[in-house]
């Protein structure tokens, strides 16, 4: 009787079946015997002699009140009809929710809607390989042969079009080419793979590893964008599968890839016989979850118990989930649920006997395994009464935190506009979960037409107050706000409608040019920002508010840093909690000026991290009664503040900006030189993105280490482009280059997009760098071109730059040009207005 409460809790619970398949009619060619075994062909004749088959058949016969034979059970099924046996099985199974992978090919299978006759909630899991094959089995609109670009575009568009209608994605890569997914699969290899697949004719079956990896990685990108879990077949299955390649340890390279660390991955089937390996992965990778369907009920009773125990040896209980992996027949749902209750009770009871758990903890564990974790993970909108959970039992899933829903009240949805200002909409947490996370919030077209001076649409942007977009939260950027523990924040994309990116979206512009760089040259640009800013304190003088520097300490002053070290400790701790790496910091040369350098990462993440960093610095300074400003020239008689960015090129996880041997010119590779030469060539027009205000050009002056001339140098801090040889890099080699003419008012996504566009042009035209300038460029007057001295000059250069217009987007460039013209007009008429910029940047 000691465990009666645990048994009762498990037996009465309405379970969530998080992975199953469609049911077929009784006249389907899918034989009933196939639902009781993974064996096929001749091997099926011996399946009735396995322990699990005998037990499962006997239990179905007892449930139906027939003889324990296959013929007797099948006769009962025919006489009763599918509707009757389905109702009987689902009622006895106590299932409240089923999530169906309908990508399995089954003769005459019922659609998702049909299953809603038997359970309150049915969700769809989309199998990505099935979608890819469906696309390739179709025809191109113009009748031509599929190209990789056309296929990928159609695949992504199809996924995004249904992303808000499904609860997750699934991959069967283990069946096709194994789980050793290459996250850096090249475009060339994927193209060869597609060609091989198409040459085999139709119906298409994709088995080429490079194409499978290409599909998998793009599926992950969509999963991240829409915050969808990705289920992965691991471990045993039918004979199409090479079990050696289905070990989840093969996924380690993928799991280590920081691009996808926010995507929640579910390892299906207890990864049997690799259950211990799966448990290990779930224990060390926060994004890995486990599902034991198929292992239960297809193993012997001892096998089921040992498999679940192995999963729980290392994995957190809150990461282990129930499913039936039912297929074709309602009886498989019944068996999966019945057997899972027995097995989980046995495992949790033993854990109590062994003093691993208290009875109360075991009951809570059963709720997690059978319902709570799946409800959170797949964001299932189902009433608590249907699963027997209290409202407090079902906290909403939050990336990177275990804070329950009731402790978080508000969510900030952030974006940076064309003028580089950070803005946000704020919604209650419940509305965010119920509506906003899938449908976004409405925002006027004018949001990308506002200048730093006026919160209204600028002329000549072609954007007005007519028309509305959707701010769609990118849930991979969802974070708890470190300085406001009851609030969260998330960066947003701009969509015309969910899944349809708006061409004016800065984050999408950066993705767009990054894709061209990847597709054409198999390159990824990494970036790391140095943030310079002033810390100001408020004084009252003659009844007027005035903000002045907190000190007048010199460059790299230890006493200057000591005075504000407590503030920086808080800033660094906050950034660490947001997964933003800080490499170093120091007092700068201006009065009350400081610099903080961030670690490098892929440029899309670097831009996001810069926005988070500015938010943290300003908020924590404000908490201490200070004002932090990133304005390029806070005081015209003091040093300016930049947001220098260090850039490198990567290919298949390796830095290819650096030369491979000492014979290479300038210590950089050929692609590195061509890319950098493109940036140098387009630098005057790039400034319209990276130095977006008239005030920016008060900073870019000779003899200020801000880069005033169109040149480059080796470790020359007066050059706007500087190659760097940081500690650990062999002498004579360079690992990256720095752009100094980038400031804290720039939208980082737009700035990096312009840089990549210029670099692509350099690669396409195989440009070469001129000789480096090793002296102060100001001493070479007449030999070097001066960079634009004003925003008007950089805007003039942009208007002539067809390369940037084409790659960034004509309409977006028109809007940016309109905003810049408004800045020029306003500040030319209001000479002292720049002093108010400290409250905007």
């Amino acid at each position: 009787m000691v465990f009666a409460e645990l048994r009762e809790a498990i037996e009465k619970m309405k379970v969530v079946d998080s992975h199953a398949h469609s049911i077929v009619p009784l006249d389907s060619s899918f034989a009933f015997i196939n639902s009781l075994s993974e064996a096929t062909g001749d091997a099926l004749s011996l399946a009735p002699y396995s322990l699990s088959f005998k037990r499962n058949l006997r239990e179905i016969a007892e449930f139906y009140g027939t003889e324990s034979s296959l013929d007797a059970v099948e006769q009962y099924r025919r006489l009763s009809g599918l509707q009757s046996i389905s109702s009987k099985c689902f009622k006895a199974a106590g299932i409240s929710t089923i999530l169906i992978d309908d990508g399995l090919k089954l003769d005459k299978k019922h659609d998702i809607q049909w299953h809603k006759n038997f359970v309150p909630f049915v969700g769809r899991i989309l199998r990505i390989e099935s979608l890819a094959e469906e696309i390739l089995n179709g025809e191109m609109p113009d009748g031509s042969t599929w190209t990789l670009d056309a296929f990928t575009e159609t695949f992504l568009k199809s996924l995004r079009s249904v992303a808000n209608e499904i609860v997750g994605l699934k991959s069967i890569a283990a069946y096709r080419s194994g789980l050793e997914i290459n996250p850096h699969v090249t475009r060339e290899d994927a193209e060869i793979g597609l060609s091989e697949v198409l040459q085999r004719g139709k119906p298409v079956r994709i088995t080429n590893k490079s194409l499978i990896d290409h599909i998998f990685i793009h599926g992950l990108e969509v999963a991240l964008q829409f915050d969808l879990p990705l289920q992965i077949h691991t471990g045993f299955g039918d004979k199409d599968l090479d079990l050696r390649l289905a070990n989840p340890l093969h996924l380690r390279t993928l799991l280590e890839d920081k691009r996808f660390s926010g995507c929640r991955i579910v390892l299906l089937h207890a990864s049997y016989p690799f259950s211990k390996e799966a448990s290990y992965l779930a224990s060390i990778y926060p994004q890995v979850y486990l599902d034991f369907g198929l292992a239960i009920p297809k193993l012997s009773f001892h096998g089921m118990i040992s498999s679940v125990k192995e999963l729980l040896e290392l994995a957190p209980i809150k990461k282990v989930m129930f499913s039936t992996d039912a297929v074709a027949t309602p009886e498989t749902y019944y068996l999966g649920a019945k057997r899972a209750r027995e097995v989980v009770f046995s495992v949790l009871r033993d854990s109590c006997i062994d003093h691993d758990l208290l009875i109360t903890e075991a009951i809570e564990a059963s709720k997690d395994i059978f319902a709570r974790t799946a409800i959170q993970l797949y964001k299932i909108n189902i009433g608590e009464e249907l699963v027997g959970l209290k409202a407090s039992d079902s906290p909403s899933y939050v990336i990177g935190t275990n804070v329950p829903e009731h402790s978080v009240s508000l969510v900030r949805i952030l974006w940076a506009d064309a003028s580089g200002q950070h803005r946000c909409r704020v919604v209650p947490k419940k509305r965010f979960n119920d509506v906003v996370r899938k449908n976004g919030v409405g925002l006027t077209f004018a949001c990308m037409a506002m200048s730093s001076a006026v919160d209204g649409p600028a002329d000549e942007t072609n954007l007005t107050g007519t028309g509305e977009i959707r701010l769609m939260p990118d849930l991979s950027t969802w974070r708890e706000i470190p300085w406001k523990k009851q609030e969260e924040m998330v960066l947003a994309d701009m969509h015309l409608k969910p899944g349809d990116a708006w061409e004016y979206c800065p984050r999408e512009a950066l993705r767009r040019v990054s894709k061209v760089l990847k597709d054409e040259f198999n390159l990824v640009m990494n970036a790391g920002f140095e943030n310079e800013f002033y810390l100001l304190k408020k004084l009252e003088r003659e009844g007027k508010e005035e903000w002045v520097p907190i000190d007048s300490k010199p460059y790299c002053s230890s006493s200057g840093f000591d005075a504000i070290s407590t503030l920086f400790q808080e800033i660094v701790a906050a950034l660490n909690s947001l997964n933003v790496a800080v490499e170093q910091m120091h007092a700068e040369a201006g009065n009350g000026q400081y610099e903080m350098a961030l670690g490098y990462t892929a440029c899309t993440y670097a831009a996001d991290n810069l926005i988070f960093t500015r938010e943290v610095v300003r908020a924590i300074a404000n908490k201490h009664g200070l004002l932090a400003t990133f304005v390029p020239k806070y005081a015209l008689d003091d040093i300016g503040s930049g947001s220098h960015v260090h850039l490198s090129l990567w290919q298949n996880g390796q830095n290819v900006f650096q030369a491979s041997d000492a014979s290479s010119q300038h210590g950089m590779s050929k692609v590195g030189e061509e890319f950098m030469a493109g940036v140098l060539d387009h630098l005057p027009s790039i400034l319209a993105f990276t130095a977006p205000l008239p005030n920016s050009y008060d900073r870019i002056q000779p003899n200020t280490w801000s880069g005033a001339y169109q040149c480059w140098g080796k470790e020359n801090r007066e050059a706007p482009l500087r190659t760097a040889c940081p500690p650990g890099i062999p002498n004579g080699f360079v690992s990256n280059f720095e752009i100094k003419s980038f400031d804290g008012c720039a939208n980082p996504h737009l700035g990096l997009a312009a840089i990549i566009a210029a670099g692509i042009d350099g690669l396409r035209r195989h440009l070469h760098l001129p000789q480096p300038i090793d002296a102060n460029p100001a001493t070479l007057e007449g030999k070097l071109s001066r960079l634009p001295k004003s925003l008007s000059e950089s805007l003039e250069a942009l208007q002539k730059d067809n390369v940037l217009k084409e790659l960034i987007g004509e309409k977006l460039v028109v809007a940016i040009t309109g905003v810049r013209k408004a800045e020029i007009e306003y500040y030319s008429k209001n000479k002292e207005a720049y002093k108010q910029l400290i409250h905007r940047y």
Side-chain angles (χ1 to χ4, degrees), residues 84-115:
S84 173
I85 61 173
S86 295
S87 296
K88 186 179 179 73
C89 286
F90 279 110
K91 182 178 180 181
I95 295 175
S96 69
T97 300
I98 51 175
L99 307 183
I100 294 180
D101 161 24
D102 60 354
L104 181 63
K105 293 180 180 178
L106 296 167
D107 180 43
K108 301 179 182 179
K109 67 182 177 186
H110 286 292
D111 60 18
I112 296 287
Q113 189 65 32
W114 181 88
H115 297 78

Side-chain angles (χ1 to χ4, degrees), residues 173-364:
Y175 269 103
R176 304 301 178 84
S177 55
L179 294 179
E180 198 167 357
I181 305 294
N182 176 10
H184 302 287
V185 59
T186 67
R187 173 187 175 84
E188 291 75 17
D189 287 344
E191 284 177 330
I192 293 170
L194 176 62
S195 178
E196 289 179 359
V197 167
L198 293 176
Q199 285 175 8
R200 296 193 190 104
K202 297 179 180 178
V204 168
R205 187 174 189 274
I206 304 172
T207 56
N208 179 275
K209 184 180 186 313
S210 294
L211 185 56
I212 288 289
D213 292 352
H214 178 82
I215 291 166
F216 189 100
I217 295 304
H218 280 85
L220 267 183
E221 291 171 354
V222 174
L224 264 176
Q225 181 183 358
F226 290 91
D227 192 30
L228 294 170
L230 175 68
Q231 298 181 344
I232 303 178
H233 180 107
T234 60
F236 73 135
D238 61 41
K239 70 175 184 178
D240 282 348
L241 178 140
D242 185 339
L243 189 58
R244 296 167 299 180
L245 301 178
N247 188 327
L249 292 181
H250 288 304
L251 293 168
R252 186 177 183 276
T253 301
L254 179 75
L255 297 175
E256 287 287 329
D257 195 313
K258 292 182 180 179
R259 293 175 298 165
F260 307 118
S261 60
C263 183
R264 291 155 296 139
I265 289 174
V266 183
L267 306 181
L268 296 174
H269 313 319
S271 298
Y272 182 84
F274 310 111
S275 303
K276 289 183 178 180
E277 289 86 342
S279 180
Y280 166 71
L281 292 176
S283 72
I284 63 170
Y285 291 107
Q287 69 269 40
V288 175
Y289 290 74
L290 309 174
D291 183 307
F292 55 66
L294 186 64
I296 300 176
K298 293 294 174 68
L299 301 179
S300 69
F301 194 73
H302 171 75
M304 290 185 286
I305 288 177
S306 63
S307 182
V308 173
K309 282 187 174 181
E310 287 178 355
L311 292 183
L312 293 174
E313 283 180 357
L314 289 173
I317 293 170
K318 286 183 175 291
K319 284 188 165 191
V320 178
M321 290 176 287
F322 154 79
S323 76
T324 61
D325 196 42
V327 59
T329 69
E331 289 86 353
T332 52
Y333 284 91
Y334 165 72
L335 287 172
K338 183 177 187 297
R339 192 73 72 248
R341 292 178 199 271
E342 295 168 355
V343 169
V344 170
F345 170 75
S346 178
V347 170
L348 294 180
R349 179 198 60 200
D350 289 352
S351 296
C352 292
I353 292 171
D354 295 335
H355 304 293
D356 285 334
L357 294 174
L358 301 174
I359 293 288
T360 53
E361 291 174 328
I363 291 172
E364 290 303 302

Side-chain angles (χ1 to χ4, degrees), residues 567-632:
L567 181 142
F568 268 93
Q569 288 170 13
E570 201 170 331
I571 287 172
V572 172
L575 290 172
N576 284 341
S577 75
L578 299 175
N579 297 321
V580 178
V582 177
E583 291 197 342
Q584 60 177 307
M585 63 210 78
H586 63 266
E588 259 295 349
N591 293 331
Q593 187 186 33
Y594 295 86
E595 177 179 308
M596 184 168 60
L598 306 180
Y600 69 85
T601 184
C603 63
T604 50
Y605 299 125
D608 291 348
N609 286 348
L610 185 58
I611 289 177
F612 282 139
T613 300
R614 293 171 180 170
E615 289 288 311
V616 166
V617 171
R618 283 196 289 244
I620 292 181
N622 180 64
K623 177 181 172 183
H624 288 264
L626 303 175
L627 187 151
T629 179
F630 297 88
V631 170

Side-chain angles (χ1 to χ4, degrees), residues 363-401:
I363 291 172
E364 290 303 302
S366 70
K367 292 177 181 179
D368 289 328
I369 291 169
F370 280 113
R372 203 154 45 191
T373 298
I375 289 172
Q376 296 167 17
L377 190 68
Y378 297 102
K379 300 186 288 293
I380 299 167
N381 187 15
I382 186 171
E384 289 85 0
E385 69 278 1
L386 292 176
V387 288
L389 299 177
K390 300 175 184 177
S392 60
D393 286 338
S394 187
S396 289
Y397 174 79
V398 180
I399 294 175
T401 180

Side-chain angles (χ1 to χ4, degrees), residues 418-419 448-454 456-462 687-689 691-694 697 790-800 805 812-830:
S419 67
M448 279 297 287
M450 296 178 183
S451 71
S452 66
V454 179
D459 295 337
E460 300 183 46
T461 58
N462 291 339
L687 290 185
F689 296 88
L693 299 180
Y697 298 83
S790 67
L791 181 56
S792 297
E793 290 183 16
S794 66
L795 203 57
E796 183 180 346
L798 175 61
Q799 289 170 326
K800 297 175 182 177
K805 289 179 183 177
L812 178 54
V813 171
V814 167
I816 290 168
T817 300
V819 171
R820 301 294 184 263
K821 286 182 177 180
E823 308 278 18
I824 294 166
E825 181 180 7
Y826 180 83
Y827 291 103
S828 66
K829 294 178 179 178
N830 300 274

